[in-house]
Amino acid sequence: MVSEPDNDPAKRPRKRFSARLLAADAFIDTTVWRIGDWLSRTFSGYARFMRRFRLRGPARGANELLSEVFTLGMAGAVVMLAFALPAFEETREDWRATADYSITILDRYGKEVGKRGMLLDDSVPLEELPDYLVKAALATEDRRFFDHFGIDVIGTFRALLENVRARTVVQGGSSITQQLAKNLFLSNERTLQRKIKEAFLAMWLEANLTKRDILKLYLDRAYMGGGAFGVGAASKFYFNKSVKDISLPEAAMLAGLFKAPTRYAPHIDLPAARARANEVLSNMVEAGFMTEGQVIGARRNPASVVDRSKQELPDYFLDFVFDEIKRIAPGPDHVLTVKSTLDVDLQKTADEAVESSLRQYGRPYGVKQAAMVVVEPDGALRAIVGGRDYDSSQFNRATDALRQPGSSFKPFVYMTAFMHGFSPKSVVRDGPITIGHWSPRNYGRSYSGPVTLTNALVRSINTIPVRLSLKIGRKNIIETAKRMGIRSELRNDASLPIGTSEVTAIDMAGAYAVIANGGRKATPYAIQTILNSSGDVVWERERDGPRREQVMPPDKVHELAEILTQVVERGTGRRARLEGILAGGKTGTTQAYRDAWFIGFTGNYVASVWFGNDDYTSTRRLTGGSLPAMTWNAFMKVAHANVKLKAMPGFGDNADEPGQDPALVASGGDGSGEGTLRNFSLPQKSREVLAEIERLMRENITRADSRQAVLKPMRVTGPGMTVVAGHEDGAAATRQTQ
């Protein structure tokens, strides 16, 4: 039966698609068969060709062995390259720049006082290095340096034989290029993976640098002990001279450090360093770089090193500078010179004041640690004492320890109150108060009834700042403290006004500096200028630092400062009183006598002093008005000796007149130093009282006798005092009033 043709138009596209699929299948099958056939014929032809070169006997065995070695070698190279690939990522960055900082720190006058970070000096070109230093390094570390491609195969094989013979590692097989690769890109871990990376990176260095560049980098970046990297820094550290000026025995000692810097460091083990230097001299003779006659003098007169065991460095200050550098230093150059704000004399005075106090009173008071920060009113740090002994503990208690400030926190409360309508004459009741389950009590466990804010702060009454906080708001107190310079977290709880939130000594010094300078921000700073390795200024505080903004109203600051001067004159800080120098401050003592503070200021300096124990154990009733105030006083007496006294803003308006000492102007003197003149500055109101006394005395001179003055009784009152004049001897009696 013959079927009729299907003329249905709807089925035609489906048939065409099926036909195309069959054609594609046929093409694929044909192509695969042809490829297989070509491979078969090619392999057969190759086999027929290779049969003509068939080896027999020993030659065949050698050929098979070489073939296997080649195959395994290629496979191993691929694996090793896979291990090395991560290390090559380091080469994409600026690997010539040092990853760590190398900081040389100068004091405020430009004299070097110490270093921090990795000690590095790569400023001396290779051609200016002593010839015998280069020869000593090559003779000891890599005699075939200029002959190999980064890996010294002959040297490695020789070192392997020596180590097998000695049954221990007596020689290293790494070339100078390999050691440089490790120093630049890798760690010191002893693993196969690290050695693989080292080999590939060594060849990469050889392909991208000249031999002289590699040698220079090696001499500049190798660790030499004592924190020094490179022969330049090591020469200054061990011999206190430029590497260009070292002698042959000194060069041999430096070259001996490449192998084991910690073992042969001369400041740790000088005999071992000299013995190692003698080996280096022998290596130079064996390598043919020098003769025995040329090195005999160096053998007989070995190098001497600088004694660093007796150096007293301002370590806590240097640590603070280093931390600041890492925070603000611009640019990729990490080899920097920093001109700091350090005053070496003030630092020494602060160290001695703290140590003397602890030595004399530490045991009776049961206190073991102390901290001190000295700044100028603009915030320039002059000294930091971070603890009693840096060698025993590097923890900086001045900058990092958070301790309760006690009553030394109260000025922030009163400042906030003054900005919210209160004045020093405002009266607040001193009496029992309870907030929740907490009832603050005064130090003497007694109450005085209504008192002015002046007397409340002078006597350090506890209930008054707590009552003030309920009226002005604790959030506002926290804001004031933050604006004045407190950077630590302050808890918004009922006990905040009496200083239960932890602060640092450096923040307290900066905050009180705001009071001393008239209300401008005075965040403590230790860096004036930063120079890069080329000597160019890359950061300058006047240009790049933060601007000093007015953070507190000057009139309110002056009101607070006047009260704080009375704290020193007649309040809890009397032991800090400086004869002839106007000073203000506040004491602080925490619960259970765990912390004792005194933070005070003059027109010249602001200093915060803290005493306590690291384990927070209680002292033997140590208060801020005792040892801290005494230590502050001992420091300030020396600090103000033979310096021009500066008046605080608001105290002595004419203090800055040209050619006159502000202290003598304030006291009415002429600067001659004769009579009873004393170097001190009086508050403006006190000066007005004295002027009134003088006026009344002049008006009451009798006509009876020009040689004998009879004074009428008179009474002049001023802030915090009543002056009674009219005694027959012309003297004045002063009675303190509340």
Side-chain angles (χ1 to χ4, degrees):
M1 180 179 179
V2 179
S3 60
E4 297 181 0
D6 189 359
N7 296 323
D8 187 356
K11 295 182 180 181
R12 291 175 184 173
R14 189 179 302 170
K15 289 183 178 182
R16 286 197 296 268
F17 179 73
S18 299
R20 289 174 182 172
L21 286 178
L22 289 173
D25 180 68
F27 174 78
I28 292 173
D29 290 344
T30 303
T31 302
V32 171
W33 181 85
R34 288 177 178 176
I35 291 174
D37 181 66
W38 179 84
L39 290 175
S40 177
R41 287 185 286 103
T42 301
F43 181 77
S44 299
Y46 173 76
R48 288 193 301 270
F49 176 79
M50 292 302 296
R51 278 197 291 269
R52 301 175 186 177
F53 302 96
R54 180 174 298 175
L55 299 176
R56 300 180 183 276
R60 180 176 181 178
N63 180 70
E64 294 290 340
L65 179 62
L66 290 175
S67 298
E68 293 298 329
V69 169
F70 178 79
T71 303
L72 294 176
M74 289 299 296
V78 172
V79 173
M80 286 170 30
L81 183 60
F83 279 130
L85 282 177
F88 282 103
E89 295 295 326
E90 301 289 339
T91 64
R92 296 184 179 181
E93 301 176 358
D94 186 11
W95 53 270
R96 288 177 181 264
T98 57
D100 297 321
Y101 284 98
S102 174
I103 310 299
T104 300
I105 302 173
L106 315 177
D107 68 5
R108 62 183 297 191
Y109 303 111
K111 182 180 179 181
E112 183 177 328
V113 291
K115 296 179 182 291
R116 279 299 184 267
M118 59 180 291
L119 308 184
L120 177 67
D121 181 9
D122 57 359
S123 60
V124 180
L126 182 65
E127 55 270 16
E128 295 183 19
L129 294 176
D131 181 65
Y132 41 74
L133 173 61
V134 177
K135 290 179 177 179
L138 292 175
T140 304
E141 297 301 315
D142 190 355
R143 299 178 189 178
R144 294 173 43 81
F145 172 72
F146 287 99
D147 299 324
H148 60 67
F149 57 93
I151 301 175
D152 186 4
V153 178
I154 297 176
T156 302
F157 185 70
R158 182 178 62 248
L160 180 62
L161 291 179
E162 291 295 329
N163 293 337
V164 171
R165 184 182 304 170
R167 297 184 179 180
T168 185
V169 179
V170 295
Q171 290 188 11
S174 295
S175 66
I176 282 180
T177 314
Q178 287 176 276
Q179 294 180 53
L180 177 62
K182 181 188 68 175
N183 294 337
L184 291 177
F185 306 115
L186 306 172
S187 66
N188 290 321
E189 60 180 345
R190 293 177 175 270
T191 63
L192 177 61
Q193 185 175 354
R194 197 267 290 173
K195 293 297 292 183
I196 293 172
K197 293 178 181 179
E198 180 184 289
F200 276 97
L201 288 170
M203 290 187 288
W204 183 88
L205 288 172
E206 291 279 349
N208 288 273
L209 301 175
T210 66
K211 286 287 187 178
R212 293 179 61 84
D213 290 339
I214 293 173
L215 182 59
K216 179 66 168 64
L217 278 171
Y218 176 73
L219 294 175
D220 287 340
R221 300 297 178 88
Y223 181 60
M224 310 289 284
F229 288 78
V231 293
S235 178
K236 290 182 178 179
F237 182 78
Y238 293 122
F239 311 123
N240 198 26
K241 62 173 66 174
S242 170
V243 67
K244 295 186 292 185
D245 302 325
I246 61 174
S247 62
L248 175 58
E250 291 168 342
M253 184 172 285
L254 291 181
L257 294 172
F258 291 120
K259 178 179 181 181
T262 56
R263 187 193 312 170
Y264 298 121
H267 70 299
I268 297 177
D269 192 343
L270 184 58
R274 286 176 171 172
R276 176 61 178 166
N278 194 54
E279 293 180 16
V280 172
L281 294 173
S282 298
N283 292 337
M284 296 175 71
V285 174
E286 292 176 5
F289 294 154
M290 300 189 79
T291 65
E292 184 61 37
Q294 290 175 311
V295 303
I296 189 64
R299 294 188 192 274
R300 292 178 177 178
N301 300 285
S304 299
V305 299
V306 175
D307 183 9
R308 298 190 174 275
S309 60
K310 298 180 181 179
Q311 286 189 335
E312 295 183 3
L313 299 176
D315 289 299
Y316 289 112
F317 193 100
L318 298 180
D319 287 349
F320 181 78
V321 171
F322 187 52
D323 290 338
E324 288 293 287
I325 281 292
K326 291 186 288 186
R327 183 177 63 85
I328 68 175
D333 193 347
H334 285 191
V335 182
L336 305 172
T337 299
V338 177
K339 185 179 181 182
S340 73
T341 59
L342 175 69
D343 188 306
V344 175
D345 292 333
L346 291 181
Q347 179 67 58
K348 183 178 180 181
T349 301
D351 289 331
E352 291 175 350
V354 168
E355 177 58 27
S356 177
S357 295
L358 285 172
R359 188 186 306 115
Q360 188 173 359
Y361 300 105
R363 181 169 296 179
Y365 277 116
V367 62
K368 298 179 180 179
Q369 281 296 346
M372 187 174 187
V373 176
V374 181
V375 301
E376 290 196 358
D378 70 340
L381 270 165
R382 298 306 184 200
I384 295 178
V385 182
R388 186 173 188 177
D389 184 7
Y390 185 85
D391 291 334
S392 300
S393 172
Q394 291 77 50
F395 178 66
N396 195 331
R397 296 158 187 82
T399 60
D400 300 329
L402 289 168
R403 307 294 296 229
Q404 291 183 347
S407 295
S408 63
F409 186 84
K410 291 176 181 176
F412 305 127
V413 181
Y414 285 81
M415 174 62 73
T416 308
F418 294 161
M419 292 190 297
H420 283 75
F422 288 84
S423 75
K425 296 181 180 179
S426 298
V427 177
V428 178
R429 188 175 69 88
D430 173 26
I433 181 174
T434 299
I435 302 177
H437 299 287
W438 179 66
S439 300
R441 292 181 296 184
N442 294 327
Y443 180 75
R445 299 182 184 274
S446 61
Y447 304 97
S448 303
V451 294
T452 64
L453 293 190
T454 294
N455 284 326
L457 185 53
V458 170
R459 295 166 55 192
S460 199
I461 297 174
N462 284 336
T463 63
I464 301 300
V466 175
R467 290 185 185 276
L468 287 174
S469 69
L470 298 178
K471 297 180 180 180
I472 61 180
R474 291 194 294 268
K475 288 185 178 180
N476 292 324
I477 297 173
I478 293 174
E479 181 183 354
T480 297
K482 293 290 187 181
R483 289 172 61 190
M484 291 179 68
I486 301 301
R487 290 171 287 189
S488 55
E489 181 182 356
L490 300 175
R491 296 183 299 275
N492 187 355
D493 52 29
S495 61
L496 169 75
I498 59 174
T500 56
S501 289
E502 293 81 4
V503 297
T504 62
I506 192 170
D507 281 1
M508 291 297 280
Y512 273 63
V514 174
I515 305 173
N517 68 32
R520 287 170 295 176
K521 192 67 174 288
T523 302
Y525 66 92
I527 298 174
Q528 293 179 335
T529 309
I530 302 175
L531 291 80
N532 62 16
S533 57
S534 300
D536 300 324
V537 175
V538 295
W539 190 91
E540 192 171 23
R541 179 169 179 81
E542 294 298 325
R543 182 190 67 196
D544 306 306
R547 295 183 178 179
R548 293 184 60 203
E549 55 181 327
Q550 191 78 27
V551 293
M552 291 290 123
D555 57 332
K556 305 304 179 184
V557 170
H558 181 61
E559 289 178 350
L560 179 61
E562 279 198 307
I563 300 176
L564 294 178
T565 60
Q566 295 184 50
V567 171
V568 174
E569 290 295 322
R570 64 184 180 90
T572 59
R574 290 188 298 274
R575 291 185 180 179
R577 187 176 182 272
L578 298 169
E579 187 67 28
I581 302 175
L582 182 67
K586 186 67 187 75
T587 58
T589 308
T590 63
Q591 187 177 15
Y593 300 96
R594 291 189 178 94
D595 302 277
W597 295 77
F598 183 81
I599 302 97
F601 55 89
T602 66
N604 294 71
Y605 301 111
V606 183
S608 63
V609 181
W610 166 85
F611 280 84
N613 294 314
D614 288 340
D615 58 2
Y616 293 90
T617 55
S618 299
T619 63
R620 297 189 182 99
R621 302 183 68 83
L622 176 65
T623 64
S626 57
L627 196 52
M630 293 161 58
T631 304
W632 188 91
N633 175 272
F635 168 81
M636 287 294 182
K637 281 182 178 178
V638 179
H640 286 80
N642 301 319
V643 300
K644 183 177 180 179
L645 300 181
K646 299 177 182 178
M648 291 178 285
F651 293 86
D653 297 334
N654 300 322
D656 293 328
E657 289 184 1
Q660 297 189 18
D661 190 317
L664 298 180
V665 172
S667 61
D670 60 1
S672 65
E674 298 178 350
T676 59
L677 288 177
R678 292 162 51 196
N679 292 337
F680 70 107
S681 299
L682 289 175
Q684 180 66 23
K685 291 184 179 179
S686 299
R687 293 171 58 207
E688 294 173 356
V689 171
L690 292 176
E692 180 68 10
I693 293 174
E694 181 182 6
R695 185 185 65 80
L696 292 174
M697 291 178 67
R698 291 181 182 278
E699 290 178 355
N700 283 278
I701 295 178
T702 63
R703 302 175 182 176
D705 189 351
S706 59
R707 296 182 179 179
Q708 184 177 10
V710 179
L711 303 181
K712 296 180 180 180
M714 54 190 171
R715 180 182 298 267
V716 182
T717 60
M721 66 175 71
T722 299
V723 180
V724 182
H727 296 277
E728 291 183 354
D729 59 1
T734 302
R735 182 176 71 252
Q736 300 291 348
T737 62
Q738 299 297 327

